[in-house]
Amino acid sequence: MKDSLDNGSPADEPASTSRSAMEKRIVELTEAIAARDAFLAVAAHELRNPMTPILAQVQRLNRMSASGSDRAEIAKGLGRLEKLVEQYIRRATALLEVSRMTTGKRCLTPERFDLAEQVRDAVEAVRPAADYVGSTITVLAPAHVPVFLDRLAIEQILDNLISNAVKYGAGRPITLSLEVAADQATIAVEDRGMGISPVDQARIFDRFERAVSQGSAIGGFGVGLWVVGQLTEAMGANIQIDSRVGQGTTFTVRLPLQIGRSK
């Protein structure tokens, strides 16, 4: 009996198997908690970001009402506010897809729409926040650019990039350009703000990474550019950054004019 215990370790196998199963379960639970935390961070970012232009529009309408502005102008502002709220609702209902994106399972839903119009709408959505910090936004784009892409993905990409330009642009002018060549569209968002160091450029597309230090007064969860990176990759597109500290940053997205429906 002693020999069998000393030499054959069968008696130790159940304990070893149990430890292995427990360690595997601990890893699974740890990954589940990390996935949950990642989703909560993305959710917080995606639901908080659109509230800035919504709040700015409400404040603007309150000022217009108090000053006795023309009712037609107030009605126009209310129409814009309604559109912002509708966009917010679409963003909220898309959170399930964003959570799937964290595990590489996000499904694309391409549809036909005008990318040039989408670009202009994205700028108008963020313009109140830009006005608040003193930044002007110039749009250089063709009249129409028909595409077959995931509209919500494009909306999220544009919202994050333009919001970033407003946040880090130091109140200076921002330029958004859209160009089309052959079967590719190129979107560039340029600010003239603080810029991003080469070291930070290498990590800002990672989850929870930001281009400013933790003690900075500029808020954020560090998921916006990660979302942009994930969405551009899912559509077979790519994103590049060109930045110099103190001189500004340009994010350039190159994407196909159409994609196939993912399964």
Side-chain angles (χ1 to χ4, degrees), residues 41-42 45 160 164 167-168 196 199-214 218-228 251:
V42 171
H45 178 274
N160 278 304
N164 255 31
K167 184 185 294 184
Y168 298 107
I196 304 171
V199 172
D200 290 334
Q201 289 179 40
R203 63 177 177 83
I204 57 173
F205 289 106
D206 294 337
R207 195 186 308 165
F208 307 127
E209 294 289 353
R210 299 171 59 217
V212 295
S213 63
Q214 291 297 323
I218 300 177
F221 288 94
V223 295
L225 290 177
W226 175 78
V227 169
V228 170
F251 286 100

Side-chain angles (χ1 to χ4, degrees), residues 228-238:
V228 170
Q230 293 293 305
L231 292 174
T232 53
E233 181 180 349
M235 289 190 292
N238 68 77

Side-chain angles (χ1 to χ4, degrees), residues 106-121:
R106 188 188 192 279
C107 295
L108 295 177
T109 307
E111 59 181 288
R112 300 193 185 282
F113 64 95
D114 188 340
L115 181 58
E117 180 181 0
Q118 187 78 12
V119 164
R120 286 187 281 269
D121 285 346

Side-chain angles (χ1 to χ4, degrees), residues 49-169:
N49 240 28
M51 289 308 298
T52 301
I54 289 175
L55 179 59
Q57 185 73 348
V58 169
Q59 293 170 339
R60 174 174 173 269
L61 289 170
N62 278 333
R63 290 194 299 270
M64 292 174 65
S65 178
S67 64
S69 297
D70 183 82
R71 292 183 63 181
E73 283 299 313
I74 294 178
K76 183 178 179 180
L78 286 172
R80 181 61 196 154
L81 180 60
E82 181 180 17
K83 191 169 186 179
L84 288 172
V85 172
E86 289 173 348
Q87 290 175 346
Y88 183 85
I89 292 172
R90 288 201 305 272
R91 182 68 54 83
T93 56
L95 279 176
L96 177 59
E97 289 303 305
V98 175
S99 71
R100 289 175 178 168
M101 185 175 62
T102 65
T103 58
K105 297 179 180 179
R106 188 188 192 279
C107 295
L108 295 177
T109 307
E111 59 181 288
R112 300 193 185 282
F113 64 95
D114 188 340
L115 181 58
E117 180 181 0
Q118 187 78 12
V119 164
R120 286 187 281 269
D121 285 346
V123 169
E124 289 308 309
V126 180
R127 197 179 293 280
D131 291 343
Y132 182 78
V133 299
S135 289
T136 59
I137 305 179
T138 300
V139 179
L140 305 174
H144 301 285
V145 179
V147 295
F148 186 67
L149 299 170
D150 187 312
R151 183 193 290 266
L152 179 61
I154 295 298
E155 180 182 309
Q156 288 177 292
I157 290 170
L158 290 170
D159 178 67
N160 278 304
L161 292 182
I162 302 171
S163 295
N164 255 31
V166 171
K167 184 185 294 184
Y168 298 107

